[in-house]
Amino acid sequence: MTITLTSRPRRNRVSESIRSLVRENHLKVSDLIMPLFIIDGTNKQQPVESMPGISRFSSDLIVQECETLHQLGVPAVVLFPALEDSVKDARASESANDNGLYQRTIAAIKASVPEMTVMTDVAMDPYSSDGHDGYVDKNGVIDNDITLPILAEMSVSQARAGADIIAPSDMMDGRVGFIRNALDEAGYTHVGILAYSAKYASAYYGPFRDALDSAPKHGDKKTYQMDPANVKEAIRETLLDIDEGADMVMVKPGLPYLDVVRAVSEVSEVPVAVYNVSGEYAMIKAASLNGWIDYKKVVLETMLGFKRAGASMILTYHAKEVARWLNG
Ligand code: PBG
């Protein structure tokens, strides 16, 4: 019996060479951005318990990490400071200290590996005694407009230290325009802004908050981070941030929000980043350490999923490993 089929899609999957010809999306080392956690001291490395394979590093070791990442072809890092409680206060004053750990680390990276794009995080939480991204008033309310100048000062201090791209993750209203203005007034018109535009109030940030000891001391982040149920709101936030001058926008977390990445990438005139967050990393790592999944294959499939959804760059704790695999 001869079966006649007009379409046999399998013909395009016959061999690896044909599959490579028809492949629609590609993962490249240049898509990757590695997040790094900074601690005070010299030659110090502290593993993050809930993120096996990831450590907090003192500045000198962060510089070494950046050299390695640069050699591997990773174009950018994003930095987060893990600070002692003694330097934290209600106004996150340490965040604008030009001689602070964060600023010194930015300068050290730019001095040793100038080609590495250094992205910073702008939010009060690592420096705040309240553990919130914005200023907490006496009634426990996050005050948007008191927070804006604090974020602006933090941004200018980071730019002064040599940061290439400022990435506000705080989700206050109007912060992109406010920061853009402050950067321009201070002469940093060349410094870009990557806005965490659609950042959800997510339980997937748990391991990150362990790494920085930055969990809110009271309440949650639901009055500023987005409700996981919403997608139109992500579009609204994105368009506002682009209007206010964002050079790039971000969706965060990644895996449970691939539909948001797709929706945002369809309306955005600027490149879209996705943040494959700490909890996503921890789940894949834990399953692989139990021998339940093939780590390399699962990670590469996950990365490709972000590209397929429309992301042009991926912030991921897997970046160094992925770069090694892609180069190898
Ligand atoms: C802080 C910030 C968070 C992350 C990036 N910047 C945590 C939070 O909002 O509580 C999470 C990153 C991750 O989980 O990997 N503004």
Side-chain angles (χ1 to χ4, degrees):
M1 183 179 65
T2 307
I3 296 177
T4 311
L5 297 181
T6 10
S7 278
R8 288 186 182 270
R10 289 185 58 198
R11 279 196 288 260
N12 282 352
R13 301 179 208 133
V14 162
S15 63
E16 179 48 31
S17 51
I18 291 178
R19 289 193 295 273
S20 79
L21 285 172
V22 303
R23 193 158 289 141
E24 297 173 40
N25 292 283
H26 300 270
L27 176 68
K28 308 180 302 300
V29 179
S30 60
D31 298 326
L32 304 169
I33 300 167
M34 179 75 184
L36 296 170
F37 301 128
I38 314 164
I39 48 172
D40 209 357
T42 318
N43 197 24
K44 272 205 192 141
Q45 172 172 9
Q46 282 174 3
V48 179
E49 212 172 313
S50 46
M51 302 177 73
I54 297 295
S55 293
R56 310 171 189 86
F57 293 110
S58 54
S59 299
D60 53 324
L61 299 187
I62 291 272
V63 171
Q64 279 182 24
E65 278 295 296
C66 289
E67 278 161 7
T68 307
L69 289 162
H70 175 60
Q71 278 158 15
L72 288 168
V74 175
V77 294
V78 58
L79 306 175
F80 299 97
L83 300 168
E84 300 293 333
D85 275 348
S86 56
V87 302
K88 301 184 183 183
D89 64 21
R91 285 188 160 263
S93 323
E94 180 63 15
S95 66
N97 176 1
D98 285 345
N99 271 319
L101 172 66
Y102 199 70
Q103 285 80 348
R104 281 186 278 118
T105 307
I106 296 168
I109 297 171
K110 293 309 291 186
S112 297
V113 204
E115 307 89 342
M116 178 61 81
T117 288
V118 173
M119 297 184 169
T120 59
D121 185 66
V122 172
M124 289 175 65
D125 55 335
Y127 315 89
S128 150
S129 41
D130 296 298
H132 275 286
D133 295 16
Y135 178 79
V136 183
D137 77 9
K138 57 184 187 312
N139 302 315
V141 174
I142 313 295
D143 190 317
N144 195 87
D145 297 7
I146 291 184
T147 305
L148 294 181
I150 297 174
L151 300 174
E153 257 195 82
M154 188 184 313
S155 305
V156 170
S157 176
Q158 294 171 351
R160 209 178 281 131
D164 300 291
I165 295 179
I166 305 290
S169 69
D170 53 282
M171 291 300 281
M172 295 300 119
D173 292 337
R175 92 274 205 214
V176 172
F178 204 87
I179 290 170
R180 182 70 271 162
N181 206 33
L183 288 171
D184 290 352
E185 271 180 9
Y188 298 105
T189 51
H190 56 286
V191 172
I193 297 181
L194 162 60
Y196 285 65
S197 297
K199 178 171 176 182
Y200 288 87
S202 172
Y204 283 88
Y205 307 149
F208 174 97
R209 293 177 190 170
D210 294 343
L212 297 195
D213 187 23
S214 64
K217 299 287 185 294
H218 41 79
D220 53 40
K221 299 193 174 185
K222 291 181 187 171
T223 68
Y224 46 106
Q225 297 181 348
M226 286 175 44
D227 184 336
N230 298 346
V231 63
K232 283 191 185 134
E233 196 180 354
I235 305 291
R236 182 181 188 208
E237 287 280 9
T238 301
L239 295 179
L240 279 171
D241 286 354
I242 294 174
D243 240 28
E244 289 176 31
D247 301 285
M248 306 165 179
V249 293
M250 191 199 295
V251 174
K252 173 185 178 189
L255 273 184
Y257 298 88
L258 287 180
D259 59 321
V260 182
V261 176
R262 160 70 27 219
V264 164
S265 75
E266 268 162 22
V267 301
S268 177
E269 297 159 1
V270 301
V272 177
V274 62
Y275 200 142
N276 175 220
V277 302
S278 57
E280 300 170 48
Y281 173 89
M283 291 194 303
I284 290 182
K285 254 299 176 263
S288 85
L289 290 172
N290 274 299
W292 295 337
I293 56 169
D294 181 324
Y295 181 70
K296 179 176 170 180
K297 286 183 180 162
V298 167
V299 170
L300 289 172
E301 186 177 332
T302 304
M303 297 298 130
L304 197 58
F306 294 134
K307 294 296 300 284
R308 198 183 58 244
S312 35
M313 52 200 136
I314 308 166
L315 291 87
T316 179
Y317 302 95
H318 302 289
K320 193 160 107 182
E321 291 169 301
V322 172
R324 286 220 165 93
W325 297 331
L326 295 179
N327 289 327

